[in-house]
Amino acid sequence: MSDLHKPNRRAVLAGGAAIAAGSAAYAGAPDPLITETRDWAKSLGDGVDATPYGLPIRFEDDVIRRNVEWLTADTISSINFTPIHALDGTITPQGCAFERHHSGAIELAKQDYRLMINGMVDRPLIFTYADLERFPRENHVYFCECAANSGMEWAGAQLNGAQFTHGMIHNMEYTGVPLRSLLEEAGLQTAGKWIFVEGADASGNGRSIPMEKALDDVLVAFKANGEALRKEHGYPVRLIVPGWEGNMWVKWLRRIEVTDQPVESREETSKYTDTLADGRSRKWTWVMDAKSVITAPSPQSPIAHGPGPLVITGLAWSGRGAITRVDVSLDGGANWQTARLAQPGRKMAMSRFYLDIDWDGSDMLLQARAMDDTGYVQPTKTQLREVRGLNSIYHNNGIQTWWVRETGEAENVEVS
Ligand code: MTE
Ligand code: CO
C-alpha cells in the first residue's frame, strides 16, 4: 500500500468504529440481507415507461400533506400542512407543499389565462400566458409562510408534530418575470403608490401591496422547482412576494390595479390583523420574522436508535433577509450551541441546519433559535406573549420546544 493510502484508511477505520458504537457490528449472526440473493435481484425491474411522470416509491407514502380536521368547517376554505418532519435539504417538492385556499383550487388552462394591468398606468394591458413568456426571466428560491403558521400554539402547546405546528410553509425555486418589468411595460404613473392584486378564483383573495415592494423583488411566476406550478399553487401564474406573509402571494393571478392608496378589501380588514392584549389591532404586518424549528427529532420523527451519534436537524428562515446563525439547546434554553448551516443563508429562503451530537440517552428539551442578517434574534414564546398577548392567531414566531424522552419519542411542550 502506498503512503498516500495509509492516512485515508486509518481515517475510514476510525470513522467506522465510531459509527459501530451506534449500530450493529457484523461479527454476530450472518445478515441474510447481505448473504442471500433477494427477490429484487432474481428478476428484472420496471421498464423506463412504467411511470412517465414519477411518484415517490410506495414505502414513502406517509410523506404527505395532512390537514387538521377540526381546524376548518370544510376542506374548500381550508389549509393542509407540509410534512417538514420527513423532508431534508431545503427545497419543498410541489406535491407535498402545503395548500391554502379560500374558495378551493381552480383549474385554469394556459390558453384561458389573462393578466390585466389597469389603474394608474399610461397603457392598460392584457397579457396572455404566451406574452409573459417573452419577458426576461429570473430564478429565485423563496419561502412562502402562511401568516397563520403556528397560530394554534398561541395559548400553549397544542399540536403534536412539526408538520402541524410549523408546516404552513414551503420553499421552492421560482421562475418568472419581475413584476417591475410588466408595470414598466404598462407605463406606471408616478402617482401610483400601491397595487391591488387579485386571483381568478371565487375568493379573488384581493390584496394591496405598497409600490416600493412591487418594484423591488415581486415576481410573476409560472414555474416552481423547474416545472409548471401545480394547480393547487396557482397554475398557470401566481404572484411571489418574497419574505411577506403567504396571503399576499396571489394564486391564479388575474388582475393588478395600480392605485394611489390601499384598497381595503373585506378580507384584508377583517382578517390578517393581530389582536393585542388591550384589544387594539396590529395591521400591515406583512414581513415574516425570523423563525426556526427542529424537524427531527420531533413528535412525528422520533429517534429510532439508542444512545450515540445523533443528527439533530431543522429549518430556519427570515422574511427580512438571510439566516446567519442557528443555535440549538438540548436543555430548554439554558445552554446553547451553534448549529452548522448546510449552506450559507440566502435572502428570504429557507436554511437547513444540523447539530451532530453524541446523545447520552437522557431526555432533552430541544429548541432552535434563528438569527438573521439584520441582527434579529428569534424570541421565546414568553417574550412574544409579553408584547403581543394571547389573542393573536398570526405571526407566531416563538421558539418551539420538543421534549425528547429516553425512548426517543418526542412531544410538543412549553418551558417557562
Ligand atoms: N390566492 C388566491 N387566489 N386564493 C387564495 O385562497 N390563499 C392565500 C395565498 N394566495 C389564496 C391565494 C394564502 S392565505 C396563502 S398562505 C397562500 O396563497 C398559500 O399558497 P399555497 O396554497 O401555494 O401554499
Ligand atoms: Co395564508
Side-chain angles (χ1 to χ4, degrees):
M1 185 186 291
S2 77
D3 281 353
L4 267 177
H5 276 107
K6 279 179 194 158
N8 286 347
R9 190 170 145 76
R10 265 202 300 276
V12 168
L13 284 175
I19 295 296
S23 57
Y26 54 76
D31 181 348
L33 284 166
I34 288 292
T35 58
E36 286 173 17
T37 306
R38 310 302 296 187
D39 287 350
W40 53 80
K42 290 180 189 158
S43 58
L44 302 176
D46 291 338
V48 289
D49 290 334
T51 43
Y53 191 95
L55 288 173
I57 195 166
R58 63 191 166 94
F59 311 123
E60 299 292 322
D61 64 5
D62 60 335
V63 184
I64 50 171
R65 300 186 274 232
R66 290 186 176 83
N67 67 4
V68 172
E69 271 174 31
W70 51 260
L71 206 58
T72 52
D74 58 44
T75 58
I76 306 296
S77 181
S78 191
I79 187 146
N80 59 22
F81 303 83
T82 307
I84 53 170
H85 64 286
L87 302 175
D88 213 317
T90 55
I91 296 295
T92 316
Q94 286 203 72
C96 64
F98 87 95
E99 308 165 64
R100 166 77 176 108
H101 322 301
H102 292 82
S103 51
I106 57 164
E107 202 173 71
L108 174 53
K110 277 182 191 163
Q111 64 268 22
D112 297 331
Y113 181 76
R114 296 291 184 274
L115 170 63
M116 177 160 103
I117 298 188
N118 69 331
M120 303 177 83
V121 292
D122 294 337
R123 293 174 297 280
L125 291 174
I126 292 177
F127 302 88
T128 63
Y129 185 87
D131 292 337
L132 294 180
E133 286 187 306
R134 300 178 67 182
F135 284 84
R137 269 170 241 171
E138 291 184 7
N139 284 208
H140 297 277
V141 176
Y142 293 124
F143 75 83
C144 171
E145 183 182 18
C146 181
N149 199 18
S150 315
M152 290 81 79
E153 304 290 310
W154 268 109
Q158 179 161 225
L159 297 172
N160 218 21
Q163 178 168 23
F164 304 112
T165 56
H166 290 76
M168 292 183 195
I169 190 161
H170 48 61
N171 188 67
M172 309 205 223
E173 186 197 42
Y174 294 100
T175 303
V177 177
L179 176 58
R180 190 188 330 110
S181 310
L182 304 183
L183 290 172
E184 281 166 5
E185 184 77 7
L188 177 62
Q189 296 172 357
T190 47
K193 297 290 178 232
W194 291 78
I195 54 167
F196 178 72
V197 285
E198 64 182 12
D201 54 332
S203 82
N205 197 72
R207 291 291 184 276
S208 290
I209 299 175
M211 189 58 76
E212 202 185 3
K213 180 70 173 172
L215 295 177
D216 180 14
D217 53 8
V218 173
L219 206 62
V220 174
F222 32 82
K223 296 274 164 85
N225 301 340
E227 61 179 357
L229 286 165
R230 295 283 166 86
K231 166 180 149 180
E232 59 269 35
H233 299 125
Y235 181 94
V237 178
R238 90 174 299 172
L239 202 65
I240 306 297
V241 191
W244 288 27
E245 53 188 24
N247 68 76
M248 309 182 95
W249 293 47
V250 171
K251 303 192 276 192
W252 314 290
L253 181 66
R254 75 179 284 271
R255 194 170 72 92
I256 299 170
E257 183 180 339
V258 178
T259 59
D260 56 357
Q261 51 194 335
V263 176
E264 296 274 342
S265 73
R266 186 170 50 85
E267 187 72 43
E268 203 170 18
T269 45
S270 61
K271 295 180 76 181
Y272 301 108
T273 56
D274 304 312
T275 309
L276 300 175
D278 62 5
R280 287 181 308 141
S281 289
R282 278 167 96 226
K283 74 170 194 174
W284 292 354
T285 48
W286 299 306
V287 182
M288 301 308 292
D289 285 318
K291 187 166 168 179
S292 64
V293 64
I294 290 174
T295 51
S298 66
Q300 299 159 286
S301 243
I303 305 174
H305 55 76
L310 171 68
V311 175
I312 298 172
T313 186
L315 294 164
W317 59 92
S318 168
R320 297 189 192 276
I323 290 294
T324 48
R325 188 173 126 192
V326 179
D327 292 340
V328 170
S329 175
L330 311 182
D331 54 13
N335 297 285
W336 295 93
Q337 307 175 54
T338 299
R340 174 168 62 85
L341 295 182
Q343 284 178 359
R346 285 181 288 187
K347 285 199 178 302
M348 285 88 85
M350 274 188 172
S351 284
R352 168 66 58 179
F353 64 87
Y354 297 102
L355 186 73
D356 310 294
I357 67 161
D358 191 11
W359 182 41
D360 63 7
S362 59
D363 71 339
M364 298 181 280
L365 287 167
L366 281 186
Q367 296 184 336
R369 173 175 76 184
M371 288 161 231
D372 69 21
D373 58 4
T374 69
Y376 181 94
V377 181
Q378 185 185 358
T380 63
K381 288 190 176 176
T382 308
Q383 288 168 334
L384 202 58
R385 287 179 185 134
E386 273 164 17
V387 182
R388 303 264 302 280
L390 286 173
N391 298 329
S392 287
I393 297 172
Y394 303 109
H395 295 277
N396 180 354
N397 70 322
I399 290 173
Q400 173 66 42
T401 312
W402 304 127
W403 176 34
V404 181
R405 251 133 339 127
E406 292 91 336
T407 56
E409 288 156 307
E411 198 180 310
N412 181 4
V413 296
E414 284 200 13
V415 291
S416 48

